[in-house]
Amino acid sequence: MENTKKLLLGILPLIIYIIVGFLFYGDHVYMVLIMLLSTFFLSYLLYFKSIFKVKKDLIYIIWLIVLILIVASIIKKDFSRTAVYIIFIPLFAFLGYLFSKKKSILLLFSVLFFCFTINFYIQPNFLIYYHSSGKENLLTNKEFPKIKLFDSDLKKYDLPKDKIIVLDFWNTSCSVCFSKFPKMNKLYNKYKDNKKVLILAVNVPLEDETFIERKEAFENEKLDFKTIYSSSLVETQNLLNFNTYPNIVILKNNKILFSGNIEPLSEVFSYYYISIDKKLENLLSNPYNF
């Protein structure tokens, strides 16, 4: 009976994960930080209150959320968002156990340092590497697939084949997409008079989302560049082999030169930072060296 109650405590991290995901619209910049700290303090409290007594009781905290994340990742064939949680939630549960045995300021500062490092360096770099290196090899020099696109007047939109095109794929639930729009707007204004370059946002629909909602979400941002619209989430993601946003695709002569998530919120902490601007400058100055 006691073990059953301990097993049920595994629901707590899952509840925290769901609430944090809802509050921050699935933005892992905040979710990773809050989940790791929550796991640490939850583990500490359970041992401090003597609900847990021995080290092996840690399994009761982590079993459910780790199991669900692993299963979800296998189903989606994508560990890019979940790997950080699967690896570091058990670690922070263990650190909470250690802190309950010996309240050390050094340990507490170490936990905060690990959180900062994981959240702002390991997680974004891993995400960029995961979604850029492999896909770039898979998609480079392949024809851009025939995705159904239309403009704000619901008219069919055909991408020109005589330009270098930067496509910023986004959806309305992606807070990171909105936070990066100003940077894309600045890039657009730099190249707007260059007839060889076209910069567009591409909205990908969510389930049960109306076109008016999609259109208004972009118009409310008051940006200089425009967005076009994809007709299908499944079609877009399957043909371009991505499921995280934002995703940047760079084309020339209708061939894919790059596809991936290449710019983090802050390049200061990014090892795999790849600038769209530098890629464009390089391509314009030397068309054969991209």
Side-chain angles (χ1 to χ4, degrees), residues 44-289:
Y44 163 72
L45 287 172
L46 289 172
Y47 280 100
F48 179 75
K49 296 290 186 180
S50 297
I51 297 173
F52 289 173
K53 296 180 175 62
V54 295
K55 191 189 300 183
K56 67 178 182 181
D57 285 340
L58 285 170
I59 192 67
Y60 296 115
I61 304 176
I62 65 176
W63 75 274
L64 183 59
I65 188 168
V66 170
L67 177 63
I68 288 175
L69 290 174
I70 290 174
V71 171
S73 300
I74 292 172
I75 292 172
K76 294 181 69 176
K77 299 179 181 179
D78 182 4
F79 280 85
S80 63
R81 298 286 186 181
T82 56
V84 170
Y85 299 99
I86 293 168
I87 294 169
F88 291 108
I89 281 179
L91 173 61
F92 276 74
F94 178 68
L95 291 174
Y97 160 76
L98 292 180
F99 191 66
S100 70
K101 300 302 178 184
K102 184 178 180 180
K103 295 175 181 62
S104 165
I105 296 297
L106 179 61
L107 178 58
L108 190 58
F109 274 109
S110 297
V111 167
L112 295 175
F113 174 77
F114 286 150
C115 269
F116 180 87
T117 304
I118 293 164
N119 196 54
F120 293 104
Y121 188 82
I122 294 176
Q123 193 261 353
N125 278 290
F126 173 74
L127 189 63
I128 294 167
Y129 176 78
Y130 186 98
H131 284 286
S132 297
S133 58
K135 287 196 301 182
E136 188 168 14
N137 295 330
L138 287 171
L139 296 172
T140 297
N141 294 324
K142 288 192 175 182
E143 290 285 329
F144 186 74
K146 294 181 179 180
I147 296 172
K148 298 181 184 68
L149 302 170
F150 52 92
D151 63 18
S152 57
D153 296 319
L154 293 176
K155 295 179 180 178
K156 182 183 176 184
Y157 187 92
D158 294 316
L159 294 171
K161 297 184 179 181
D162 59 345
K163 295 179 184 291
I164 300 166
I165 304 175
V166 178
L167 300 175
D168 181 10
F169 286 84
W170 66 284
N171 64 46
T172 55
S173 71
C174 171
S175 61
V176 177
C177 298
F178 287 93
S179 66
K180 289 186 179 181
F181 276 154
K183 181 180 287 188
M184 191 61 68
N185 200 59
K186 185 178 179 180
L187 186 71
Y188 166 80
N189 284 317
K190 177 178 179 177
Y191 289 98
K192 66 181 180 181
D193 296 323
N194 191 321
K195 295 182 180 180
K196 296 181 180 179
V197 177
L198 176 63
I199 296 174
L200 293 168
V202 184
N203 174 257
V204 180
L206 300 175
E207 189 177 353
D208 299 326
E209 184 178 43
T210 67
F211 176 69
I212 295 298
E213 290 172 333
R214 298 164 65 189
K215 185 177 178 180
E216 288 181 349
F218 188 81
E219 290 177 346
N220 289 340
E221 296 300 303
K222 309 294 183 185
L223 299 164
D224 299 320
F225 67 104
K226 71 177 183 179
T227 190
I228 54 178
Y229 301 86
S230 161
S231 62
S232 168
L233 180 146
V234 174
E235 177 190 63
T236 302
Q237 293 186 170
N238 286 347
L239 291 177
L240 286 173
N241 189 35
F242 74 87
N243 59 14
T244 57
Y245 296 84
N247 190 82
I248 302 295
V249 174
I250 302 177
L251 309 173
K252 184 186 178 186
N253 299 330
N254 203 48
K255 289 193 174 181
I256 297 171
L257 301 178
F258 186 89
S259 178
N261 185 336
I262 63 178
E263 294 205 36
L265 285 173
S266 174
E267 56 269 32
V268 175
F269 300 107
S270 178
Y271 180 78
Y272 288 103
Y273 175 77
I274 307 168
S275 169
I276 303 171
D277 192 10
K278 287 181 180 178
K279 278 188 172 287
L280 288 175
E281 287 179 354
N282 188 31
L283 186 58
L284 289 167
S285 63
N286 186 356
Y288 301 102
N289 180 30

Side-chain angles (χ1 to χ4, degrees), residues 19-56:
I19 292 173
V20 172
F22 176 78
L23 291 175
F24 293 100
Y25 302 99
D27 189 341
H28 292 271
V29 172
Y30 301 101
M31 290 178 66
V32 170
L33 185 66
I34 295 173
M35 276 305 303
L36 295 183
L37 288 175
S38 297
T39 302
F40 171 78
F41 285 111
L42 177 62
S43 175
Y44 163 72
L45 287 172
L46 289 172
Y47 280 100
F48 179 75
K49 296 290 186 180
S50 297
I51 297 173
F52 289 173
K53 296 180 175 62
V54 295
K55 191 189 300 183
K56 67 178 182 181

